[in-house]
Amino acid sequence: MKKYGLPAIITILFGAIYYYFALPPIHIKASEFWLYLLLLVAVYFLSFFLFHGKLKISLSRDKGFNFFITEGKKHTGRFKSKRFKWTVGIVAAIVLIAVAAIYVTSSKLFNASKYQQMLTVKESEFQDDIAELPLSQIPVVDRDSAMRLGSRKIGEVVELVSQFSVSDYYTQINFKQKPVRVSPLAYADILKWFVNRDEGIPYYIQIDMASQSTDLVELEEGMKYTPSEFFNRDLMRHVRFAYPFKMFDDESFEIDDNGHPYWVVSYYDYTIGFLGGRDITGVIVVDAVTGEMVDYPVSEVPQWIDCVFSADIVLEQANYWGAYQNGFWNSIFTQRNVVTTTKGYNYLAINDDVWVYTGITSVVDDASNIGFILINMRTKEAKLYSINGAEEFSAMRSAEGMVQEKAYTATFPILVNVADTPSYFISLKDNAGLVKAYSFVSVSNYQIVGVGDTLSDAQAEYVRLLKENGLIEVEEEPEPEVTETTVTGTIAQISEAVVGGNSTYYIQLTGNDTIFTAEISVSKLLPFLTVGDNVTLTYRADNTVKQIALPE
């Protein structure tokens, strides 16, 4: 036993060090786990041969294929070719059976309907779900612009920029019914961590995506659990040690309704067969200040959390939904009703949730969309809007073409509602990455483009073009509401004049300074009225008489 102890100790030490830094999940479905086991086996045998002998392999015509484990000149073990062949054959058979079982239970060929049903998509009406936003709420800041704003903000504080940088998370969330991006500061390097680790990271960046206002939010107590920490305070190491058996997906930085920072770490499982149908099953919510953790299944995630599902996972499932509506072989050959998502995506803030949206197009790339799909990043609720029109990149090129002399670059569009019309909103940037203009492009006709240096100018031009092209109805100006007043009195004065060929009477009542005007067409009584007659006049705001009556 003594000669096996040292290799075992070396293997245990290697396994502990590797686990501490690589953090593989202890899960039979995780490839990282199997790699970990193979490394442990390899380290054990290598250390055994290093300290107790060497492996000798010989091949001869009469003796066949032989393995020898030797200690000096003494043979400690020998595997002759016959035994070796049986061993290899059995192992190979077991491996092949396991691989075949995994393929059959997990493949799309045998489970197309299960893959197609991973995402439940319901058809909906665009105008019912997506309200027309006021200009002050249209998000104009994309992730690249947010990073520039964040770097500029921390650069204003000299004592911070020497110790910290801004991490590149910039998670889009809804905060108090507003779309914002948030990102924590990070230690500039390990030396800065040693200096500041006791206080932690004292700030995070918050950017209003509509107004572009950028705030450096100070915390009462610094964050001590982030990806920029070292050793046991590193975020993923902290979570892995508490949950060694979970397979983690992405982590995102979020704040609750009170502005307190948290990390949301999603974990997944395979829901189809052994290794098919990867899906998020829950999240670990980590208090960035205290490190306290709570495990929530997807159905119980708090309302303030916005990012449970990553865009990659939900868009992958959207493509399964579009590809396998009529089975696996149809997706390969006839491709009847097969659709796919376009190559880009963006986010929409609707009510108190963040939705990822992308276009839906036919599997044959024809530069047009047959609709849009919106997927809730917290609940995975999915809605389909059947709207034919240009795909996003065609709209981007159309917007760039309107300012081609300035060589502006279009951001990926945001789907918005303008005058109950599905429209793309696009920011136009110069070579320095600064937003210089704004554009609205019609989804149904990407030749209709409104561009302006301000949001209001761009929208006004766009609405004008929509009216000109008959895409929205031109509302007739309503007739002003006419208010009529009635007065009864005795005629003090009455006179007649011809105005525009018509007889017009001017009447003044006793005790009333108002001069009423009445055309002859108002009443046949006018020529017979005299001073002292009692009359009832119905007139409008301009003192024009519309009706005359004698009291009974």
Side-chain angles (χ1 to χ4, degrees):
M1 285 298 294
K2 188 175 181 179
K3 67 178 180 180
Y4 300 107
L6 185 58
I9 292 173
I10 293 173
T11 302
I12 292 172
L13 289 175
F14 171 83
I17 294 171
Y18 182 88
Y19 185 82
Y20 188 82
F21 288 100
L23 302 173
I26 309 302
H27 199 294
I28 194 173
K29 295 182 181 181
S31 59
E32 302 96 324
F33 172 66
W34 291 105
L35 174 62
Y36 182 48
L37 289 183
L38 288 174
L39 286 173
L40 293 179
V41 172
V43 168
Y44 178 82
F45 279 106
L46 286 174
S47 59
F48 182 87
F49 294 140
L50 178 64
F51 290 104
H52 298 290
K54 60 182 179 179
L55 178 67
K56 181 180 178 181
I57 303 174
S58 67
L59 177 63
S60 64
R61 182 175 298 177
D62 57 336
K63 294 183 179 180
F65 195 14
N66 298 280
F67 283 84
F68 296 93
I69 300 174
T70 65
E71 288 183 84
K73 295 182 178 180
K74 179 182 177 182
H75 295 313
T76 59
R78 176 174 178 174
F79 300 92
K80 293 186 177 180
S81 58
K82 188 175 182 180
R83 185 185 302 174
F84 177 74
K85 289 178 181 178
W86 275 104
T87 303
V88 172
I90 293 172
V91 172
I94 294 173
V95 171
L96 287 175
I97 292 172
V99 170
I102 291 172
Y103 176 76
V104 170
T105 60
S106 307
S107 72
K108 301 174 183 65
L109 173 62
F110 297 100
N111 300 279
S113 62
K114 292 181 180 179
Y115 278 93
Q116 197 271 337
Q117 294 167 13
M118 288 189 71
L119 188 70
T120 302
V121 180
K122 297 180 180 180
E123 290 201 28
S124 191
E125 292 295 327
F126 175 82
Q127 288 82 2
D128 294 340
D129 293 343
I130 302 179
E132 186 170 355
L133 293 175
L135 291 178
S136 60
Q137 295 183 19
I138 294 179
V140 301
V141 177
D142 63 357
R143 189 172 183 276
D144 178 66
S145 297
M147 294 178 70
R148 294 176 184 274
L149 291 171
S151 297
R152 186 184 307 165
K153 188 66 177 180
I154 193 174
E156 296 174 358
V157 186
V158 178
E159 62 271 18
L160 285 181
V161 76
S162 64
Q163 301 294 312
F164 301 95
S165 61
V166 184
S167 68
D168 58 358
Y169 282 91
Y170 288 97
T171 310
Q172 180 173 336
I173 63 171
N174 271 4
F175 181 65
K176 297 182 178 179
Q177 302 295 322
K178 290 183 178 181
V180 302
R181 286 188 180 269
V182 289
S183 194
L185 301 191
Y187 297 105
D189 52 53
I190 191 170
L191 294 178
K192 304 302 188 299
W193 177 76
F194 274 112
V195 173
N196 297 282
R197 70 184 187 279
D198 291 338
E199 291 77 19
I201 298 174
Y203 296 91
Y204 63 83
I205 293 289
Q206 178 178 318
I207 302 173
D208 189 313
M209 296 177 63
S211 68
Q212 303 188 56
S213 64
T214 305
D215 297 320
L216 192 61
V217 181
E218 184 175 7
L219 299 168
E220 293 182 2
E221 186 177 352
M223 293 180 280
K224 297 182 176 65
Y225 294 88
T226 73
S228 69
E229 295 283 344
F230 293 89
F231 307 112
N232 287 6
R233 276 173 35 180
D234 173 80
L235 173 67
M236 294 312 299
R237 186 170 294 114
H238 178 67
V239 178
R240 170 58 70 211
F241 287 171
Y243 299 93
F245 307 111
K246 293 189 181 296
M247 296 182 288
F248 296 127
D249 190 53
D250 292 339
E251 75 278 1
S252 60
F253 180 75
E254 299 200 33
I255 57 176
D256 65 10
D257 294 334
N258 297 316
H260 189 82
Y262 290 87
W263 293 97
V264 179
V265 182
S266 301
Y267 58 85
Y268 66 92
D269 199 357
Y270 294 99
T271 61
I272 301 175
F274 192 76
L275 288 177
R278 184 171 67 111
D279 203 4
I280 300 299
T281 55
V283 296
I284 308 298
V285 180
V286 186
D287 189 314
V289 175
T290 66
E292 295 179 1
M293 291 174 280
V294 182
D295 182 0
Y296 293 103
V298 166
S299 60
E300 298 177 11
V301 171
Q303 178 74 31
W304 62 266
I305 293 176
D306 291 312
C307 300
V308 172
F309 295 85
S310 65
D312 290 341
I313 283 183
V314 295
L315 293 179
E316 179 182 58
Q317 294 180 10
N319 283 322
Y320 292 156
W321 167 82
Y324 303 126
Q325 296 189 52
N326 292 298
F328 178 81
W329 295 114
N330 177 73
S331 70
I332 303 298
F333 296 108
T334 57
Q335 297 184 329
R336 181 170 58 90
N337 297 329
V338 174
V339 296
T340 185
T341 60
T342 52
K343 294 181 176 62
Y345 63 88
N346 214 325
Y347 299 98
L348 292 178
I350 302 176
N351 298 325
D352 197 30
D353 284 317
V354 174
W355 299 64
V356 64
Y357 94 89
T358 186
I360 297 293
T361 186
S362 64
V363 72
V364 179
D365 188 9
D366 57 3
S368 63
N369 285 343
I370 60 174
F372 296 92
I373 190 169
L374 267 66
I375 307 172
N376 191 306
M377 302 294 287
R378 179 174 58 86
T379 65
K380 210 176 72 169
E381 177 186 1
K383 296 183 179 182
L384 176 67
Y385 304 94
S386 298
I387 304 171
N388 295 325
E391 51 89 33
E392 296 91 333
F393 292 97
S394 296
M396 291 166 65
R397 290 191 292 270
S398 184
E400 290 172 347
M402 296 296 293
V403 288
Q404 57 184 333
E405 74 282 357
K406 298 178 180 178
Y408 289 163
T409 302
T411 60
F412 193 83
I414 296 173
L415 187 65
V416 295
N417 182 343
V418 178
D420 279 342
T421 302
S423 309
Y424 292 121
F425 169 73
I426 298 170
S427 296
L428 295 166
K429 299 181 178 181
D430 61 13
N431 293 332
L434 301 176
V435 176
K436 292 296 185 181
Y438 305 96
S439 175
F440 291 90
V441 182
S442 170
V443 170
S444 62
N445 184 352
Y446 68 95
Q447 300 298 328
I448 299 177
V449 184
V451 177
D453 293 334
T454 65
L455 275 173
S456 58
D457 290 345
Q459 188 184 64
E461 174 64 11
Y462 177 62
V463 171
R464 184 186 68 80
L465 292 171
L466 289 176
K467 291 178 179 179
E468 283 187 0
N469 287 270
L471 294 182
I472 59 175
E473 295 182 1
V474 180
E475 297 181 0
E476 296 182 1
E477 291 292 333
E479 293 185 4
E481 185 178 350
V482 178
T483 302
E484 294 184 346
T485 305
T486 299
V487 62
T488 299
T490 301
I491 297 177
Q493 294 186 46
I494 184 169
S495 59
E496 179 187 4
V498 178
V499 179
N502 296 316
S503 295
T504 302
Y505 291 82
Y506 299 93
I507 303 171
Q508 188 172 11
L509 301 180
T510 301
N512 192 328
D513 295 333
T514 303
I515 298 176
F516 300 98
T517 303
E519 294 184 356
I520 186 62
S521 59
V522 171
S523 175
K524 295 179 180 179
L525 295 175
L526 282 169
F528 305 102
L529 294 177
T530 60
V531 173
D533 288 341
N534 291 326
V535 293
T536 299
L537 305 178
T538 301
Y539 64 94
R540 292 181 176 175
D542 60 355
N543 300 324
T544 300
V545 177
K546 304 303 295 181
Q547 187 176 354
I548 296 177
L550 297 176
E552 295 180 1

